[in-house]
Amino acid sequence: MRIFSGIQPTGTKHLGNYIGAIRQYVEGQERAHAAGDDALFCVVDLHAITVAYDPAELRTRLYDTTAVLLAAGLDPAKCILFRQSDVPHHAELTWLLSSVVPNGRLARMHQFRDKSAAQRELVSAGLLFYPVLMAADVLAYRADEVPVGEDQREHLELMRDAARDVNRRFAPELGSGEGGERGLLIVPEQRTPPVGARIMDLQDPARKMSTSSGSVEGTVYVLDEGKALEKKFKRAVTDSENEIRFDRAEKPGVSNLLEILAASRRTTIDEAVASMADARGYGDLKVAALEAVDAELAPLRERYAELRPDETALEAALATGAARATEIAGEVLSDVREAMGVGVPRGVSVPGRG
Ligand code: TYM
């Protein structure tokens, strides 16, 4: 089982990214390593340029994100951690996949519709193509499993269909790529955590926690600490009752706090609810969630402070990952080119070429 996931080097990473995705990366790294398989984690700088951005800030954020991933427990000796733009095969496969992905479907994607509405000046072609690049990220490694939060479901569906269409059209004899069958490409499975796949904004629990669209007061950053962290939890929006129970529809704020509590303590939601049986009110739930999050993130903050200043070491870690990623993607791309009739045919020697 090969694992792949990607994360954008934009903004500051928040509790939703951490619980929904980053913690799963670390678990996946351990599982893959124990089984002798590869787990690849990619900081997707090419995705970050699809909306307005500042080049210097992109570089800074790339180091921030890499340091967060290492501080959370990714270990370059056990996984392949790399920067997307260091492996040109992602961009090449994007183009090859563009031959099977319908334009109309890209234009209907929720993220495209939301993000293009939010752009003031330019809706770039890159924004439309974002999901194709994401499909290429995963398919270039024949990954079986993609750990992500709930919000990536539509992207995963498109990616799975792209793999199926390439297999059917260009290499049916190699298998479907599904249900354990080999194929030119593998149709990957989404993996979301049982608790915390969609963490909501503390100020607006109808909206997911997000760097780009959420409120600053309602977004808990992984490096928040002390009073700033406390304030966000104490001001979290709840409801006018005082009963602590899990009910997303009727009690979204309380349910979100319960989910954060359960995820941070690594228990079930039922256990989190039971632990609040003697609570005097929502204040106790907020304090419990705050303490659980603080305990979970404290080691990450400490490691981050050690790792972030050494950008040379961060580059070295990314370079090691890029070399290994290039090997794997190079083999897959060579198969895809052959099947699609692109480039020099296999077995043909070209004078002057090695
Ligand atoms: P990004 O950088 O926005 O988010 C990184 C991961 O965090 C998850 N996530 C959440 N999980 C729970 N609750 C939330 N409120 C929340 N907000 C974000 C996301 O689901 C994601 O797993 N398109 C991707 C990056 C990407 C990618 C890939 C992912 C590019 N190529 C290939 C997987 C495979 C994104 O924007 O993630």
Side-chain angles (χ1 to χ4, degrees):
M1 144 269 322
R2 187 178 280 161
I3 298 173
F4 183 101
S5 198
I7 185 163
Q8 293 207 57
T10 44
T12 314
K13 294 299 132 189
H14 54 70
L15 192 61
N17 299 132
Y18 179 74
I19 292 175
I22 299 172
R23 234 168 50 170
Q24 291 201 85
Y25 303 168
V26 180
E27 178 275 322
Q29 156 186 279
E30 300 303 328
R31 198 157 37 88
H33 186 65
D37 283 322
D38 292 313
L40 298 108
F41 302 104
C42 180
V43 186
V44 295
D45 55 346
L46 297 178
H47 277 107
I49 66 169
T50 58
V51 291
Y53 78 103
D54 173 57
E57 193 185 331
L58 177 59
R59 290 205 188 281
T60 307
R61 296 295 193 191
L62 186 120
Y63 292 134
D64 294 350
T65 304
T66 305
V68 164
L69 294 176
L70 293 169
L74 288 189
D75 175 355
K78 290 185 180 168
C79 74
I80 302 177
L81 172 64
F82 68 107
R83 168 168 47 208
Q84 188 182 35
S85 60
D86 285 345
V87 183
H89 304 86
H90 294 232
E92 182 183 353
L93 186 56
T94 299
W95 189 253
L96 295 172
L97 293 177
S98 75
S99 67
V100 300
V101 176
N103 187 59
R105 179 155 179 198
L106 293 177
R108 286 193 302 273
M109 299 287 285
H110 285 101
Q111 179 175 298
F112 176 70
R113 296 212 316 234
D114 294 348
K115 288 207 173 170
S116 56
Q119 297 310 301
R120 293 218 192 100
E121 289 173 9
L122 169 78
V123 177
S124 70
L127 192 58
L128 183 71
F129 252 61
Y130 182 111
V132 190
L133 177 59
M134 184 166 156
D137 291 341
V138 177
L139 302 182
Y141 299 92
R142 296 199 175 105
D144 306 285
E145 199 179 294
V146 187
V148 283
E150 177 61 37
D151 62 343
Q152 299 298 315
R153 189 161 295 281
E154 203 180 14
H155 286 146
L156 260 289
E157 282 311 317
L158 183 127
M159 176 187 301
R160 288 163 56 80
D161 285 341
R164 289 184 184 115
D165 290 344
V166 167
N167 287 349
R168 244 193 319 259
R169 168 136 182 240
F170 299 109
E173 72 289 356
L174 295 180
S176 68
E178 281 191 88
E181 202 176 296
R182 297 308 300 173
L184 176 60
L185 297 176
I186 296 294
V187 180
E189 302 283 343
Q190 172 165 356
R191 191 178 172 105
T192 46
V195 179
R198 190 175 177 81
I199 300 291
M200 310 308 273
D201 189 295
L202 296 187
Q203 284 298 313
D204 182 359
R207 279 208 312 215
K208 74 169 180 184
M209 192 175 282
S210 149
T211 337
S212 52
S213 62
S215 65
V216 177
E217 310 76 48
T219 307
V220 177
Y221 299 108
V222 292
L223 301 175
D224 279 349
E225 57 184 326
K227 287 274 168 243
L229 184 64
E230 191 182 321
K231 214 159 105 184
K232 288 180 181 177
F233 276 95
K234 295 220 158 143
R235 294 195 180 161
V237 167
T238 49
D239 53 54
S240 55
E241 302 175 359
N242 57 11
E243 190 194 356
I244 298 177
R245 68 186 159 85
F246 190 80
D247 180 341
R248 270 190 200 284
E250 296 294 324
K251 300 175 76 71
V254 169
S255 302
N256 191 37
L257 288 169
L258 283 167
E259 187 144 8
I260 291 172
L261 177 63
S264 302
R265 286 183 180 163
R266 297 170 197 257
T267 62
T268 63
I269 288 175
D270 285 348
E271 284 170 297
V273 175
S275 76
M276 288 285 109
D278 297 329
R280 283 155 300 167
Y282 292 155
D284 287 356
L285 172 60
K286 292 177 179 180
V287 169
L290 163 68
E291 286 175 356
V293 166
D294 198 29
E296 176 73 19
L297 293 178
L300 185 155
R301 290 194 301 257
E302 272 169 40
R303 287 278 295 143
Y304 181 87
E306 289 163 21
L307 293 165
R308 177 62 183 85
D310 193 349
E311 294 182 356
T312 310
L314 297 175
E315 280 295 351
L318 292 170
T320 308
R324 293 181 58 205
T326 302
E327 265 173 51
I328 304 175
E331 281 171 27
V332 176
L333 260 290
S334 157
D335 291 348
V336 175
R337 287 166 143 253
E338 178 70 10
M340 292 182 70
V342 169
V344 181
R346 254 185 207 153
V348 171
S349 63
V350 182
R353 265 180 82 145

